[in-house]
Amino acid sequence: MERRAEVATGAAKHGLSRRAREQTTLFQFTDRLFRARTLLDIYEAALDAICDALVTRRASILRFDGGGVMRFVAWRELSDGYRSAVDGHSPWSRRDRDAETIFVENVALLDEPPQLIGTILAEGIQALAFIPLAGAAELIGKFMIYYDTPRVFSDHERDLALTIARQLGFAIERFTSDAAAQRLTALVESSSDAIIAKDLEGILTDWNPGAERLFGYTKEEAIGQSVMLLIPDDRRDEEPKILERLRNGELIEHYETVRRHKDGRLIDISLTISPIRAATGQIVGASKIARDISDQRRAQEQQHMLLGEMNHRVKNVFALASGLVNLSSHSAVSPAELASIVSERLATLSRAHALTMSPAIAGYEPAAIKLHELLQAILAPYHGEQRPRFRIHGADATVPPSIVTSLSLLLHEFATNSVKHGSLSTIQGVVDITCKEEPSEFVIVWRETGGPPSDHPANEGFGSRLVKTTVKQLGRLKRDWTRAGVIIELAIKRNRLAD
């Protein structure tokens, strides 16, 4: 109000003509819009300009809300009752981008419901005008002017109203766009996901901190480079296909692939790719949101490994139980004695099996144990009634908790295979285990004799894959299949025994 008073007082003081006062008002309006920091600043500047230029004391600005309903956002000298009664009323919807101005010179002559006309007249309004506020893509609202008496609007007043409307609509849209862009920028900058953009030639144009963390390149290093910088050699055919789909306007959601870090390592990621459109609707580039799913992949692989291991163990339990019954039947003299021997051996087998359970399955961390003690526990179910079935000699060592499970799993797998196919599958068979210390390794030599001739398995089963995976955690493994029986050499790295 102070600003409007200053303009009117200054104009009167200097005896400015009506056109000169209008020019002064519009100049002041433009200047205030330029300096506006909030929407309220924009609305106040507009209401001052509307009232001054169109010579009225009452005006309002209305905008569509989230539900597409026209609501009052700023006004001058309108009662609460009037605003409440007409709130939401509009001759246009958001889709009416090219809405025409409406000037009502005499409200009493309006072809509208009597109740609405009565409400307007009761407010002391006898003439009014609806001036649309057009945005770049849709109608964003309107401003209204009100007069106490019927009025004939001149062409000049109509043009003046449209001039103010264009400036006001542009200012509102610019402000809201800038605010939205600032919010979006803040979201992009704070996102833990990698968010990048590229043009239709595959050149990187935007790069957020999440992308720096995921791929290792700084913003300065990445922008201007081809997106092929991130794509491994064996996946370079993906990018042309993605660009083609983007040119067709497709959204590519949750596309799982592999990308390359600055240091050369490969990263499993999930991509969501969206086309970027110019104001004209033309597709000019693409935005990508990339999320590291390496941990998820590792968890899935571990889950598959555990399920496979459980399946393998269940099959082995049946095979071992059958083998124990067959072995025990040769020394038992009665069914009762056979049942007793088998029960005892199954209980021992259960205790040995518990040593091979991973903490993820067992729910506890195994304790340290001496190597010879561990071997005795795992081989106890297969001891002979008449003579020893296995011999353990040589150096001993403490097996730390960190590798008890892995080593137990390997030794249990050796014993299981021996019961199923090797020396422990026969009465005469023997397992000889020699332990020896070497400068950088502790070596366990597992030698089977007295069983059927050993042959290299034709196919690699889950047990063999499990052995390979476990050996990687400990050291190295060598196996020789001879006519006398298999010879296994397991070498454990010294640093693994020092954990």
Side-chain angles (χ1 to χ4, degrees):
M1 289 296 289
E2 291 178 2
R3 178 74 59 176
R4 183 160 61 94
E6 286 176 13
V7 173
T9 301
K13 180 179 179 181
H14 294 91
L16 296 177
S17 67
R18 177 183 173 187
R19 291 295 176 91
R21 289 197 303 273
E22 289 173 357
Q23 291 298 319
T24 301
T25 297
L26 292 177
F27 174 82
Q28 187 73 23
F29 180 39
T30 302
D31 180 63
R32 291 179 65 185
L33 290 180
F34 177 77
R35 292 185 288 107
R37 293 292 177 264
T38 66
L39 276 175
L40 182 59
D41 291 342
I42 292 173
Y43 297 152
E44 285 298 309
L47 288 174
D48 283 347
I50 292 166
C51 290
D52 285 340
L54 297 169
V55 193
T56 182
R57 63 185 177 85
R58 293 196 283 189
S60 64
I61 300 171
L62 298 91
R63 291 182 58 195
F64 289 107
D65 65 11
V69 178
M70 193 79 84
R71 303 289 189 191
F72 285 91
V73 294
W75 57 89
R76 290 279 168 80
E77 297 193 29
L78 294 176
S79 69
D80 292 344
Y82 173 75
R83 286 186 287 104
S84 176
V86 301
D87 193 41
H89 176 269
S90 174
W92 313 298
S93 70
R94 271 186 173 147
R95 294 187 297 273
D96 296 319
R97 169 66 180 76
D98 298 319
E100 297 287 341
T101 55
I102 300 174
F103 291 88
V104 180
E105 297 181 340
N106 190 335
V107 171
L109 301 179
L110 268 175
D111 183 18
E112 292 288 347
Q115 184 177 358
L116 176 60
I117 294 174
T119 299
I120 298 172
L121 293 173
E123 187 72 6
I125 299 170
Q126 297 199 40
L128 51 80
F130 299 74
I131 315 298
L133 301 175
E138 63 180 8
L139 191 68
I140 60 175
K142 66 181 178 180
F143 80 73
M144 297 195 65
I145 48 178
Y146 312 90
Y147 295 92
D148 301 343
T149 60
R151 183 184 186 87
V152 176
F153 293 92
S154 68
D155 290 342
H156 176 69
E157 287 176 321
R158 294 168 187 261
D159 291 341
L160 193 58
L162 285 173
T163 298
I164 294 173
R166 279 193 291 268
Q167 287 186 267
L168 176 56
F170 175 77
I172 291 172
E173 191 164 62
R174 184 193 64 185
F175 182 88
T176 53
S177 296
D178 288 349
Q182 290 171 3
R183 289 193 297 272
L184 180 60
T185 298
L187 288 172
V188 169
E189 291 298 304
S190 63
S191 174
S192 59
D193 292 333
I195 302 177
I196 65 179
K198 63 182 181 181
D199 63 21
L200 291 180
E201 299 303 318
I203 302 302
L204 296 168
T205 58
D206 291 278
W207 189 265
N208 79 328
E212 292 188 7
R213 290 189 293 270
L214 181 58
F215 298 115
Y217 294 97
T218 65
K219 186 174 185 178
E220 292 73 21
E221 290 174 319
I223 290 180
Q225 298 291 322
S226 169
V227 72
M228 302 302 279
L229 179 75
L230 309 175
I231 301 178
D233 293 340
D234 61 345
R235 291 180 178 263
R236 291 190 169 249
D237 61 331
E238 289 182 3
E239 189 61 15
K241 296 175 183 176
I242 290 173
L243 288 173
E244 182 61 31
R245 292 177 64 182
L246 287 169
R247 290 188 184 99
N248 293 330
E250 288 187 51
L251 169 67
I252 303 171
E253 288 191 279
H254 307 306
Y255 173 64
E256 294 189 1
T257 185
V258 176
R259 290 295 179 259
R260 184 170 53 206
H261 190 274
K262 181 179 179 180
D263 63 15
R265 60 190 168 88
L266 300 180
I267 310 166
D268 292 310
I269 65 170
S270 173
L271 277 177
T272 298
I273 310 174
S274 306
I276 297 175
R277 299 178 185 271
T280 60
Q282 179 184 4
I283 296 172
V284 295
S287 64
K288 293 185 176 185
I289 301 176
R291 176 167 295 177
D292 186 349
I293 58 170
S294 300
D295 290 343
Q296 179 183 331
R297 282 282 178 87
R298 283 191 289 270
Q300 289 174 344
E301 289 172 1
Q302 182 181 24
Q303 182 183 40
H304 292 156
M305 175 64 78
L306 289 174
L307 289 173
E309 182 182 337
M310 290 174 65
N311 181 52
H312 178 68
R313 285 171 180 267
V314 169
K315 291 179 180 178
N316 277 346
V317 165
F318 288 113
L320 290 174
S322 176
L324 289 177
V325 170
N326 289 334
L327 289 172
S328 301
S329 65
H330 294 288
S331 57
V333 297
S334 68
E337 185 178 358
L338 175 62
S340 176
I341 293 172
V342 170
S343 294
E344 180 183 347
R345 286 183 169 175
L346 287 175
T348 305
L349 178 63
S350 176
R351 290 192 292 273
H353 180 73
L355 293 171
T356 72
M357 297 290 282
S358 71
I361 298 176
Y364 62 87
E365 185 72 27
I369 189 173
K370 284 291 188 179
L371 176 60
H372 287 198
E373 182 183 352
L374 179 63
L375 286 164
Q376 290 282 356
I378 289 172
L379 291 169
Y382 320 112
H383 70 84
E385 297 296 328
Q386 306 300 326
R387 62 185 183 81
R389 301 296 309 281
F390 54 87
R391 294 188 292 269
I392 303 170
H393 49 88
D396 201 357
T398 299
V399 181
S402 60
I403 66 168
V404 167
T405 296
S406 299
L407 182 56
S408 299
L409 184 62
L410 279 176
L411 297 173
H412 190 268
E413 190 68 20
F414 298 162
T416 299
N417 288 337
S418 183
V419 171
K420 288 161 55 175
H421 314 294
S423 61
L424 294 181
S425 67
T426 65
I427 295 296
Q428 298 80 19
V430 174
V431 177
D432 184 88
I433 302 170
T434 304
C435 305
K436 53 185 178 180
E437 295 189 39
E438 295 189 355
S440 61
E441 300 174 322
F442 190 93
V443 180
I444 302 171
V445 179
W446 175 292
R447 186 187 303 271
E448 298 187 16
T449 56
S454 65
D455 293 309
H456 191 293
N459 299 310
E460 184 182 74
F462 180 82
S464 298
R465 296 194 298 274
L466 188 63
V467 167
K468 283 184 178 179
T469 301
T470 308
V471 166
K472 289 179 182 178
Q473 305 170 33
L474 300 176
R476 62 179 178 83
L477 180 73
K478 178 184 176 184
R479 276 190 279 204
D480 291 321
W481 285 267
T482 70
R483 291 195 61 79
V486 69
I487 301 173
I488 304 172
E489 182 178 295
L490 172 63
I492 305 171
K493 295 176 183 177
R494 271 288 177 190
N495 61 352
R496 296 312 313 273
L497 288 172
D499 287 354

